[in-house]
Amino acid sequence: MKQILHIILTVFCISSCSLLEENPVTSLTEKDVYTTEDALEKNINGILLSFQGDMMFQGNMLETLQAASGLTHWGTSSFLNDERWACILRTFTFSPGTTYNINMYNSLYSVISRCNKLIDALPSSPVNQAYKDEIEAEAKFYRAVIYFCLVRLYGDVPLVVRHAENESDTANPRVHYCKIYQQIVSDFTDAWEGMRSPERVMQTTGTQGHPNRWAAKSFLAATYLSVASILHVPENENFYDNSRPDRKPDFSAIGIDDEDDAWQLALDAAKEVI
């Protein structure tokens, strides 16, 4: 038995020494992760998979978003009784010091950072420009989805659209909520114009598991609905302060002068999707 073990160890050591003496001919660098179509797909898949995380679009995340947009998810929760609105808004959704809130906030910005890093890396990638345009449009779609969540939950939030090394995105100054909506509309519009069709998604990924350009149009409709609601009853928003003129909603930068404009844009986008 000892002799057999000795032979095995000897063979292992010889093999290991031989391997250790090899000089690797290639090494993965930062640039390598953007040099092929397959590499770009893996980057965008990583961003998409992050939406399945615990702090993102499962369970509590969905419930929190509903609390920010009508509490419809809680409509049949009997334990909330008549206090369901105040209870959720006061003790759960907008309490900035809770661990849940902090973790969710940081998780959302982590995904934004990944989107920004990919978008910033695309110009120097040797991949075909048309292919890169599809990837960029999809990355902008994901970024817009995250900001659409953030602005409904917190109002003013940091607006970060470039990747910054060694800098915390969440530590940036907060930006007026109307500017956040402006970026959301811009990203969803770019996504609508550049994302893949359902057929193209199947061709490039072999599955329908990726959003296509119609998802961007659907989110545009939802965004315009949110803007219309704000313009209709701005005092219902947690970020509104009637004593401060700078807090009043102004969406003229995205071509919306009043709530009728927003309702019409939402209707037109929804009709296209339907």
Side-chain angles (χ1 to χ4, degrees):
M1 183 65 182
K2 288 183 179 179
Q3 188 176 6
I4 294 173
L5 181 60
H6 178 73
I7 293 172
I8 293 173
L9 290 173
T10 301
V11 173
F12 175 76
C13 288
I14 292 172
S15 301
S16 298
C17 291
S18 176
L19 288 172
L20 290 172
E21 289 172 0
E22 290 287 340
N23 292 319
V25 294
T26 60
S27 61
L28 190 64
T29 67
E30 179 73 13
K31 293 182 179 179
D32 291 330
V33 297
Y34 307 109
T35 55
T36 66
E37 292 180 359
D38 185 58
L40 295 183
E41 290 295 338
K42 284 182 169 58
N43 273 275
I44 207 71
N45 283 338
I47 295 172
L48 177 58
L49 286 173
S50 65
F51 278 74
Q52 299 177 4
D54 219 45
M55 289 295 142
M56 293 294 294
F57 285 86
Q58 292 183 4
N60 290 338
M61 179 63 189
L62 289 173
E63 293 168 357
T64 305
L65 280 172
Q66 293 297 346
S69 53
L71 272 181
T72 57
H73 184 78
W74 297 85
T76 57
S77 299
S78 58
F79 71 91
L80 292 170
N81 298 316
D82 293 337
E83 286 295 313
R84 62 185 184 275
W85 294 81
C87 171
I88 299 302
L89 296 179
R90 182 175 63 250
T91 64
F92 181 70
T93 309
F94 300 109
S95 179
T98 62
T99 301
Y100 172 80
N101 218 338
I102 293 170
N103 289 343
M104 182 178 66
Y105 188 78
N106 288 333
S107 294
L108 292 169
Y109 272 99
S110 176
V111 180
I112 288 174
S113 179
R114 296 179 71 175
C115 293
N116 290 340
K117 190 171 185 177
L118 176 56
I119 292 169
D120 288 355
L122 288 173
S124 60
S125 170
V127 174
N128 175 274
Q129 187 61 49
Y131 203 99
K132 291 194 295 184
D133 289 344
E134 292 177 341
I135 295 294
E136 180 178 3
E138 190 169 340
K140 286 186 174 181
F141 170 78
Y142 296 134
R143 184 172 68 184
V145 170
I146 299 299
Y147 272 120
F148 188 46
C149 297
L150 282 165
V151 75
R152 287 184 293 155
L153 289 168
Y154 305 109
D156 295 2
V157 292
L159 179 60
V160 186
V161 293
R162 296 294 303 274
H163 179 67
E165 296 287 354
N166 302 318
E167 182 179 342
S168 173
D169 291 339
T170 57
N172 281 274
R174 298 169 71 189
V175 173
H176 195 283
Y177 63 93
C178 289
K179 291 185 178 179
I180 303 297
Y181 273 100
Q182 183 178 343
Q183 183 64 46
I184 292 168
V185 170
S186 175
D187 275 351
F188 278 142
T189 300
D190 288 348
W192 160 247
E193 294 173 352
M195 282 178 74
R196 295 162 175 165
S197 66
E199 296 76 19
R200 176 66 176 160
V201 170
M202 178 61 75
Q203 177 188 357
T204 54
T205 67
T207 176
Q208 289 290 358
H210 275 244
N212 60 64
R213 63 196 306 258
W214 287 104
K217 180 66 75 170
S218 299
F219 265 98
L220 266 176
T223 303
Y224 291 136
L225 278 175
S226 182
V227 169
S229 297
I230 291 172
L231 290 170
H232 182 62
V233 192
E235 58 269 23
N236 279 357
E237 303 299 329
N238 66 303
F239 44 75
Y240 180 76
D241 184 349
N242 190 46
S243 65
R244 294 177 54 189
D246 62 305
R247 302 306 301 164
K248 294 180 179 179
D250 180 3
F251 297 102
S252 57
I254 53 177
I256 298 175
D257 294 324
D258 52 42
E259 65 173 288
D260 288 341
D261 290 341
W263 292 126
Q264 190 61 55
L265 286 168
L267 178 62
D268 293 343
K271 281 184 175 179
E272 287 187 65
V273 175
I274 294 169

